[in-house]
Amino acid sequence: RVLQNPGFFLAYGNAIEMTKTKNSLLTAYESYQNTYRLDPNFQFINEKMAKYQEDLNVKIRFLKREVELFPDNSDAFFNLGNAYNKLGQDSSAIDNYLKSLELKPKATDALINIAIIHLNKDNCKEAIRWSYKILNEDSNHIRAKKILKRCGDA
């Protein structure tokens, strides 16, 4: 059986490492999570997941310091929101996206991330509300239209 073959995990791990070198850390992390679901005792995956979370926590500390030093930097708040989002800390992510939006009101990236968080929580009402805010700024925004379609409001 494939899942019992250590070579499968080694090959999968190598593919993940290749993905990381292409600046796709999130994709790599998701792949680690998928492998972990297949075999939670696989040490390589446990170590990689811990390293990724540690890296994000370091990034969060750095970005928190950046927003303290430069409280008018909307990109720093946006990036801090992304880091929290990747760790699954939705309320902290949304708070930082909202702060980014206060500083740069037409930032559709922050708007779409908030909409996606709500969509992932099966909160279509809020996902729709944020999607319409996006479409007010960019009437051709594909991801916002997909959210509306998925929520049955297209």
Side-chain angles (χ1 to χ4, degrees):
R1 194 170 157 203
V2 172
L3 299 181
Q4 296 171 341
N5 181 350
F8 167 79
F9 289 107
L10 185 58
Y12 200 66
N14 288 337
I16 293 167
E17 288 300 317
M18 288 170 44
T19 302
K20 275 178 51 179
T21 61
K22 294 181 180 177
N23 297 324
S24 297
L25 196 54
L26 180 59
T27 302
Y29 181 64
E30 289 169 348
S31 297
Y32 292 140
Q33 287 181 313
N34 290 336
T35 303
Y36 181 76
R37 285 185 198 104
L38 297 174
D39 184 356
N41 298 316
F42 195 64
Q43 186 62 33
F44 171 76
I45 301 303
N46 291 335
E47 290 168 4
K48 292 295 182 181
M49 286 177 66
K51 174 72 173 125
Y52 178 78
Q53 287 181 334
E54 179 183 315
D55 291 347
L56 276 177
N57 288 325
V58 168
K59 184 176 183 176
I60 286 171
R61 284 195 303 272
F62 172 78
L63 288 167
K64 280 182 174 181
R65 183 71 176 136
E66 187 173 351
V67 298
E68 287 174 11
L69 294 172
F70 307 102
D72 294 333
N73 184 343
S74 67
D75 291 337
F77 284 101
F78 177 78
N79 290 332
L80 186 54
N82 284 342
Y84 280 122
N85 193 8
K86 289 175 185 175
L87 284 176
Q89 296 179 17
D90 296 339
S91 63
S92 293
I94 290 173
D95 289 345
N96 282 282
Y97 292 140
L98 291 173
K99 182 62 178 174
S100 176
L101 285 166
E102 284 176 27
L103 299 167
K104 195 192 261 182
K106 296 183 180 195
T108 57
D109 288 344
L111 292 169
I112 194 67
N113 287 354
I114 293 171
I116 290 170
I117 288 171
H118 287 295
L119 182 66
N120 290 339
K121 294 168 76 172
D122 293 325
N123 185 348
C124 273
K125 181 179 177 181
E126 282 298 302
I128 289 169
R129 184 170 77 88
W130 287 97
S131 294
Y132 277 119
K133 287 184 179 196
I134 296 163
L135 292 171
N136 285 337
E137 299 301 327
D138 177 2
S139 61
N140 295 315
H141 198 284
I142 294 170
R143 291 170 74 192
K145 288 180 177 184
K146 285 183 180 181
I147 290 172
L148 294 177
K149 185 175 181 179
R150 183 167 165 194
C151 287
D153 198 61

